[in-house]
Amino acid sequence: MNRLLLGAVQTGYAASLLPAWRRFAAAATRPHDAQLRKLRRILEENASTSFGREHRFDRVAGLESFRAAVPIARFDDFAPQIERIACGESAVLTRAPVRVFERTSGSTSANKLVPFTDGLFREIAAATHPWLFDLFRGIPSLRSTRSYWSISPAGRDRARTSGGIPIGVEDDTEYFGAIARWILSGTLVVRPSVARIRNLDRWRWETCRSLMLAEDLGLISVWSPTFLSLLMEAIERELEDLLSSLPEERATRIRAALDREGMLTGEVIWPRLGLVSCWSDGPSRGFLPAIERWFPRTQIQPKGLLATEGVVSFPLLGEQGSVLAVASHFLEFVEVDSPGRTPLLAHELREGAAYSPVLTTSGGLYRYHLQDVVRCVGRWHAAPLVRFEGRLDCVSDLAGEQLDARVVGTALE
C-alpha cells in the first residue's frame, strides 16, 4: 500500500473511530450513570444463564442488591463454570456463546482460560478505539505509517478445548473490530504468521528483518519494555547480517543514518517513528531508561491497565496516568488501605488513594477481583485518571513481616 493510499485509508479509519470517542467522552462526563447502565445491561443479558439463575439476576433491582447477590470473587471461583463451558455447555456464565478462550497466568494458577464473547470484544474496543482516535488526532503523522503490534506470546500453539472452543486468537488483530482488522492487516510490518514460528532464533530473525525493512514504521505497541529492549539488542548484535539481507537502497539509507548519529537508535532505523506504547508504570518503570536509550527522540506512552480478563484504564496523550475505561466494563474499587469497606464506584475515587479493581464484564466474570493496584492521580472530565502501581498479591510473609512489593520498590528507589 503506497503512502498516499495508506494515509487516505487511515484518515478514513480515524474518522470511523469518532463515534467510539464521543461515547467514551460522554461516559467520562457522567461516569456514575454510564456505569450503572453498563451493569444493568450485563445483568439483563445474562439473567437466563446458569450463573444468572443461581444468583437471581432477575430480582436484582440495583447496585446494593447486586452486591448482596454476587460476592467478590477470584478466578478459581469461576473454574467450575469455565470447565463446563470448555466441555461444550452453553449459557453457563453468558447467554452469548464463548468465541474463544485466552490464556493468562497468575500467581495462584499457572494457566487460566479466560472466556471471550463478542460482548467482551466490544467492551475492549470501547477502550482501544478511543485510545487509537486520540493517537491519530494528536499525532497526525501516524496516519501515513505502518505499525508493529505484539500482543500474544510468540511461538504458542493454538489448541481447542474438549468442547471444540479455540484457545488463543488466530492473530492479534482479532482484538479489534472488523474495520480495524482490515486496516491493520494492511499496515502491520510483521505478519501475524511470524508469531507462530516455534523456533525462537528463526522468530527473532524474521521479526527483526521485517522491522528493519519497514522504513515507514510509525507506531510500536508491545507489552513489556524488556521485550522491546531485547529486540533492539538482537538488531544491534546481528546488524551487519540484517543489513546484508535488506534491499541495497534500504541498507544504504540505514548506514548513512548510522554515520550521522554515531550510534544505533530506533530513529536511525525508523525515521518516521512517532510513538512507542509499552508498560511504563509499577515494576516496569525501572526498565524505562533502557527504552529511552534506544528511542531518545520518540514519545513513550504508558499502556494503562489492560489485563486478559478486561481493561481498567487506557492512556490519553498529554494526561498524567491513564483514564478509567468507564464505557467498557462495570468497575468497582477496593480501597487498599481499608479492604473491609464497601468497594467504591469509579466516580468515588479520591486523588492520592490506592485501589484494587473489581470487574464485571460481558465475558462472564462477575465482581472479579483483579488483584492489581492503581492510584488515583487526577481527573479527565469526571472520570478518574489512575496509575498502575503493582500487584496486590505480591507479599512476603515468611516471618510475619507482610512486605508488599510496592513498599519494597519504593524503599529501593
Side-chain angles (χ1 to χ4, degrees):
M1 193 180 295
N2 64 49
R3 183 172 179 176
L4 288 177
L5 178 58
L6 180 60
V9 168
Q10 290 184 332
T11 297
Y13 174 56
S16 77
L17 299 173
L18 180 58
W21 170 263
R22 287 175 171 167
R23 286 192 294 270
F24 170 72
T29 303
R30 300 178 63 87
H32 182 226
D33 295 342
Q35 284 282 279
L36 291 183
R37 284 196 302 271
K38 171 60 67 174
L39 175 61
R40 185 163 55 249
R41 188 176 305 118
I42 291 174
L43 296 179
E44 290 174 353
E45 288 176 354
N46 298 296
S48 62
T49 64
S50 174
F51 190 92
R53 292 193 303 271
E54 179 184 348
H55 293 83
R56 308 305 298 269
F57 281 5
D58 59 334
R59 294 192 177 185
V60 171
L63 176 59
E64 296 310 315
S65 56
F66 169 64
R67 286 171 167 170
V70 182
I72 291 177
R74 300 286 292 271
F75 194 87
D76 287 348
D77 296 313
F78 294 99
Q81 291 95 341
I82 289 175
E83 178 62 25
R84 289 162 57 190
I85 298 169
C87 291
E89 188 175 343
S90 61
V92 178
L93 290 171
T94 60
R95 187 177 64 186
V98 172
R99 261 182 53 190
V100 66
F101 282 105
E102 266 296 359
R103 296 184 182 96
T104 185
S105 60
S107 57
T108 60
S109 176
N111 193 6
K112 300 182 291 188
L113 292 179
V114 178
F116 271 66
T117 63
D118 285 334
L120 181 56
F121 278 114
R122 285 193 295 270
E123 288 177 352
I124 293 172
T128 58
H129 286 182
W131 170 59
L132 288 171
F133 178 83
D134 185 60
L135 289 186
F136 283 124
R137 180 182 62 175
I139 311 176
S141 61
L142 291 178
R143 297 189 184 186
S144 57
T145 63
R146 293 186 291 158
S147 306
Y148 172 56
W149 295 83
S150 178
I151 298 175
S152 303
R156 68 179 185 177
D157 290 322
R158 193 165 193 255
R160 288 182 179 269
T161 69
S162 60
I165 299 174
I167 300 175
V169 295
E170 185 67 31
D171 66 69
D172 292 333
T173 63
E174 290 191 40
Y175 284 100
F176 300 87
I179 296 176
R181 288 200 300 272
W182 182 78
I183 297 292
L184 286 173
S185 66
T187 62
L188 294 177
V189 301
V190 179
R191 301 184 313 277
S193 59
V194 172
R196 294 191 288 276
I197 296 175
R198 298 296 304 278
N199 182 280
L200 184 59
D201 290 335
R202 184 177 162 228
W203 166 83
R204 184 185 297 112
W205 172 266
E206 292 294 339
T207 298
C208 291
R209 184 176 184 276
S210 297
L211 285 168
M212 291 191 69
L213 277 167
E215 192 167 13
D216 60 348
L217 180 66
L219 169 66
I220 294 176
S221 179
V222 299
W223 289 123
S224 173
T226 58
F227 173 86
L228 185 54
S229 291
L230 288 170
L231 279 182
M232 293 302 296
E233 289 169 11
I235 289 174
E236 183 176 53
R237 186 171 58 248
E238 302 180 45
L239 183 59
E240 283 306 314
D241 287 342
L242 286 165
L243 287 171
S244 298
S245 74
L246 301 180
E248 185 176 348
E249 290 186 2
R250 172 68 172 138
T252 298
R253 286 193 292 272
I254 292 177
R255 287 193 171 98
L258 275 168
D259 290 340
R260 289 194 302 271
E261 292 288 327
M263 62 181 293
L264 179 66
T265 66
E267 292 86 359
V268 163
I269 307 172
W270 307 293
R272 299 177 61 195
L273 188 63
L275 186 87
V276 171
S277 169
C278 64
W279 288 331
S280 305
D281 296 324
S284 296
R285 189 168 58 247
F287 300 107
L288 271 186
I291 291 296
E292 291 167 347
R293 180 180 76 83
W294 286 114
F295 301 93
R297 298 190 299 276
T298 301
Q299 181 175 350
I300 312 296
Q301 186 183 59
K303 272 289 186 192
L305 179 50
L306 292 89
T308 307
E309 299 91 333
V311 52
V312 175
S313 65
F314 63 90
L316 294 174
L317 293 172
E319 298 293 340
Q320 296 296 314
S322 53
V323 66
L324 289 184
V326 291
S328 296
H329 322 302
F330 177 68
L331 305 172
E332 300 174 82
F333 295 88
V334 174
E335 297 178 83
V336 171
D337 294 333
S338 303
R341 292 183 180 175
T342 300
L344 302 178
L345 298 186
H347 70 286
E348 297 175 313
L349 269 55
R350 301 184 305 276
E351 189 168 344
Y355 302 94
S356 186
V358 176
L359 311 182
T360 295
T361 79
S362 291
L365 298 183
Y366 303 94
R367 303 201 77 198
Y368 171 68
H369 197 179
L370 202 52
Q371 299 299 304
D372 289 306
V373 177
V374 297
R375 189 173 299 277
C376 181
V377 296
R379 286 281 192 286
W380 188 79
H381 296 311
L385 295 164
V386 299
R387 181 175 292 119
F388 174 68
E389 293 208 334
R391 293 285 295 173
L392 190 65
D393 51 8
C394 289
V395 176
S396 172
D397 192 20
L398 294 177
E401 69 277 14
Q402 287 290 327
L403 276 176
D404 185 285
R406 295 174 296 117
V407 175
V408 174
T410 301
L412 288 174
E413 286 181 4

